[in-house]
Amino acid sequence: MDKDAEQKKPGLFRRMFGRGVASEGIAPQAEDVAPPAAPSEVGTAALEAAPVTEVAAETLASDAAAPVDVPSAAVPPTDTAPPASTEPVEVTVAEPGVPAAKPKVSWWQRLRGGLSRSSSAISRGIVDIVTKRKLDASALEDLEDVLIRADLGVDMAQRISAAVGKGRFDKSIAPDEVRAILAQEVEAALVPVARPLLIDVAQKPFVILVVGVNGSGKTTTIGKLAGQLHGEGRKVVLAAGDTFRAAAIEQLHVWGERTGSQVVAGAQGSDAASLAFEAIKTAAEVGADVMIMDTAGRLQNRKELMDELEKIIRVMKKALPGAPHAVLLVLDATVGQNALSQVDIFGKVAGVTGLVMTKLDGTARGGILVALAAKYALPVHYIGVGETMDDLEPFTARDFARAIAGLETD
């Protein structure tokens, strides 16, 4: 090969970038050519392998942003990938079909969440009334309206309104201050009625009759109560007295299995009074501590159904003098003011001794419990804010008052 031809051979830099200054050296033969590599890898390898003149450096600087056309004759790329880690990696795989465990929620959190609709409605009304406005007669009347709409009752609404206005008339007041006064007044009204259900151990079996209208949650309440009593070490017998509904009988059997309670039941449509007699005798024979009887839901204005309830109570007294020892009226909080009528009539017919308020998580009218306490002063034993066993809890005046006012516990 002559010298002219040798001098005309393109240098390495030109072979790579198609321009610039030729560098010394001979291009690799075809059999030594590496497969094409990524431009960034090729550029790095070439710059490391060959010296770059000042002209080449200027060319690189001027064309840094331009796309690079890499010819097939290129230096093999340098492998810069980091070595794979040899340390073991712990991977947690959820078991198929098993839901992730939910964090345990305290009773206070469930109560406040259950009463959130009631507390939100009251809080919004309070904010609208006192924000950028001084307390005057009109503002206090508006506050009464908010409380009455939450079913706290007229008397209680006037009492709270008077407490808010005392010493603050024609002055500004913060919403939190109004809520604090609301909580104080509600707590004061509820403290006298917040009483636990006491089981008289001298009465064995201690007979509890559960009454209420359709859909109030009687059967579910019985199951939850049986679970709590069983957890205290008491032997419980359940009586499926709602003989009108086959589903109610089956539901009580399910609760009996869950709570370890014996269930006494008859055929659908059988006489509920006769079943009450049989259940009391069975509870006595097996040495049960408590017998709880379910009853069919009945509207308080249906005289024939209320007469049947009276018959059940008469038969209970014949089977065991003094029975029933407790008559619990289960109230659905969503019915609002109708609960007042239920307490009135069931109290006269069945001699209600205590209340259980359910479904507080499904209404913005949770204040009805305050109105009931102020009017009838009946003990409130339990409240419910859900469907699980833990969602029925003994009633606590302070917790309820702070929850309905939208305050934190302390």
Side-chain angles (χ1 to χ4, degrees), residues 204 235-237 262 264 279-290:
K204 192 172 181 178
K235 188 171 186 177
V236 181
V237 168
Q262 182 175 340
V264 178
I280 290 176
K281 294 302 182 185
T282 300
E285 290 171 1
V286 300
D289 299 297
V290 181

Side-chain angles (χ1 to χ4, degrees), residues 300-301 306 340-350:
Q300 68 272 23
N301 58 358
M306 301 306 285
L340 297 169
S341 171
Q342 293 179 32
V343 173
D344 183 44
I345 297 176
F346 276 101
K348 292 175 181 177
V349 173

Side-chain angles (χ1 to χ4, degrees), residues 55-65:
V55 177
E58 291 175 1
T59 306
L60 281 173
S62 62
D63 295 324

Side-chain angles (χ1 to χ4, degrees), residues 6-176:
E6 209 172 279
Q7 290 176 352
K8 290 180 183 180
K9 286 185 179 179
L12 174 64
F13 193 88
R14 184 174 179 182
R15 291 200 304 275
M16 291 184 61
F17 296 97
R19 65 175 78 182
V21 180
S23 60
E24 296 180 2
I26 301 173
Q29 298 302 315
E31 58 269 15
D32 297 325
V33 176
S40 59
E41 295 176 338
V42 172
T44 302
L47 290 173
E48 291 176 350
V52 181
T53 65
E54 292 181 353
V55 177
E58 291 175 1
T59 306
L60 281 173
S62 62
D63 295 324
V68 179
D69 184 14
V70 183
S72 59
V75 177
T78 302
D79 188 2
T80 59
S85 174
T86 58
E87 296 182 4
V89 178
E90 184 178 353
V91 179
T92 303
V93 181
E95 186 177 345
V98 178
K102 294 182 179 179
K104 188 171 180 61
V105 180
S106 69
W107 166 246
W108 164 254
Q109 290 172 314
R110 294 198 301 274
L111 175 61
R112 189 171 181 201
L115 287 171
S116 60
R117 292 180 63 184
S118 298
S119 62
S120 295
I122 294 173
S123 294
R124 283 195 302 269
I126 290 173
V127 170
D128 291 343
I129 292 168
V130 303
T131 301
K132 299 180 181 179
R133 178 181 179 185
K134 293 182 178 180
L135 278 182
D136 55 16
S138 175
L140 292 175
E141 286 180 5
D142 290 344
L143 178 59
E144 285 183 22
D145 290 342
V146 168
L147 300 176
I148 290 171
R149 285 198 298 271
D151 278 333
L152 273 78
V154 175
D155 293 342
M156 195 65 204
Q158 291 176 344
R159 175 175 162 180
I160 294 169
S161 178
V164 170
K166 188 175 181 179
R168 302 176 182 85
F169 200 79
D170 203 28
K171 297 179 180 178
S172 297
I173 185 171
D176 284 347

Side-chain angles (χ1 to χ4, degrees), residues 243-319:
T243 57
F244 290 112
R245 295 189 306 124
I249 299 173
E250 180 59 30
Q251 186 181 2
L252 206 66
H253 276 293
V254 172
W255 277 112
E257 293 175 2
R258 289 181 184 174
T259 62
S261 305
Q262 182 175 340
V263 178
V264 178
Q268 182 180 1
S270 59
D271 181 55
S274 300
L275 181 71
F277 188 91
E278 179 186 349
I280 290 176
K281 294 302 182 185
T282 300
E285 290 171 1
V286 300
D289 299 297
V290 181
M291 192 280 280
I292 310 175
M293 181 165 180
D294 193 9
T295 57
R298 61 199 76 228
L299 295 175
Q300 68 272 23
N301 58 358
R302 292 284 300 274
K303 185 178 183 304
E304 71 279 10
L305 296 177
M306 301 306 285
D307 288 345
E308 183 184 54
L309 185 58
E310 287 183 317
K311 178 184 175 183
I312 292 172
I313 294 172
R314 288 197 304 270
V315 170
M316 280 186 163
K317 293 184 183 300
K318 289 180 180 178

